[in-house]
Amino acid sequence: MDESEQPKSLTPRMLKWAQNSALYRVSRQMLSRRQLHDAVLRKAREKFDDLGSEEVRALADAAVAFAETIGGLDDEAFAEVKTRSAVRNGKSRRMIAVSLARKGIDKETAQTALAEQADDLAAVVALARRRAFGPFRRADADEARKDKELAAILRQGFHFELARRISAMSREEADDILSGLP
């Protein structure tokens, strides 16, 4: 949003606050455009209670525009990093897609990141390691315990065949899969 489109009630001090707010947030953590917009919008409502919703939105838009000009926002890189991290933490492609959508990543960008970074087999092995399921089980399990493990894996959004595969997998095979994770 350039200066000609901004509401007249916004002062240079308010716009500078929006820039500083954006700079503070993107320097602390990686954010999507929508996350930054929502955060600045929420803070602007608290700080400038006399402004209308149009002016507050204009401040949030100015913050996002500033963050983009300094290179602080990149939704594609954000999606890739979050996807890689989620796979290492044992999240399924479905759960990752939902998480990216909640963070404001468009469907096309999310699908690209999932296609490049997400591997459900590696993710289910990571989940099994974290929860001590299947090949990472510390003791022999009875059928009830195996059913509980299977149900837990299915609740995380993995397919039934993957859940069965991890139950039957050897520790060496699981370690080989984990060694290939980025």
Side-chain angles (χ1 to χ4, degrees):
M1 174 180 284
D2 61 19
E3 291 183 22
S4 63
E5 296 175 12
Q6 293 173 348
K8 301 291 185 215
S9 59
L10 294 182
T11 65
R13 184 182 142 270
M14 290 176 184
L15 293 172
K16 187 64 177 172
W17 173 86
Q19 289 178 351
N20 289 339
S21 183
L23 187 59
Y24 171 76
R25 283 171 173 70
V26 298
S27 69
R28 291 180 52 100
Q29 72 183 80
M30 191 174 214
L31 297 171
S32 69
R33 285 175 178 82
R34 190 172 92 193
Q35 284 180 307
L36 178 62
H37 187 272
D38 292 349
V40 173
L41 189 73
R42 188 178 57 253
K43 270 313 227 186
R45 283 186 181 132
E46 292 173 12
K47 184 168 180 63
F48 304 109
D49 55 352
D50 56 332
L51 289 182
S53 61
E54 181 182 322
E55 289 91 359
V56 171
R57 256 191 312 282
L59 276 176
D61 291 342
V64 169
F66 173 74
E68 287 175 338
T69 61
I70 64 169
L73 292 177
D74 183 356
D75 280 356
E76 292 81 18
F78 177 85
E80 288 176 10
V81 167
K82 292 298 180 181
T83 300
R84 239 187 340 266
S85 174
V87 167
R88 283 192 311 269
N89 288 318
K91 303 290 185 215
S92 69
R93 292 172 70 93
R94 288 186 224 174
M95 299 293 260
I96 297 168
V98 168
S99 175
L100 291 174
R102 282 189 193 134
K103 294 177 186 313
I105 302 299
D106 64 88
K107 194 172 187 173
E108 184 179 307
T109 304
Q111 287 176 344
T112 302
L114 287 169
E116 294 174 2
Q117 306 293 329
D119 177 12
D120 268 354
L121 179 59
V124 76
V125 172
L127 174 69
R129 179 185 60 191
R130 197 175 84 230
R131 302 276 306 268
F133 290 167
F136 300 99
R137 201 178 295 124
R138 291 179 185 89
D140 289 336
D142 58 356
E143 287 303 312
R145 173 70 183 159
K146 289 179 183 178
D147 288 345
K148 285 183 180 184
E149 289 177 6
L150 187 70
I153 292 170
L154 293 174
R155 280 193 304 272
Q156 293 300 314
F158 293 104
H159 294 287
F160 182 74
E161 287 305 314
L162 271 176
R164 282 189 31 193
R165 185 172 172 190
I166 192 69
S167 292
M169 192 177 284
S170 71
R171 177 68 182 255
E172 292 77 30
E173 186 181 355
D175 286 338
D176 287 344
I177 292 169
L178 287 176
S179 68
L181 280 176

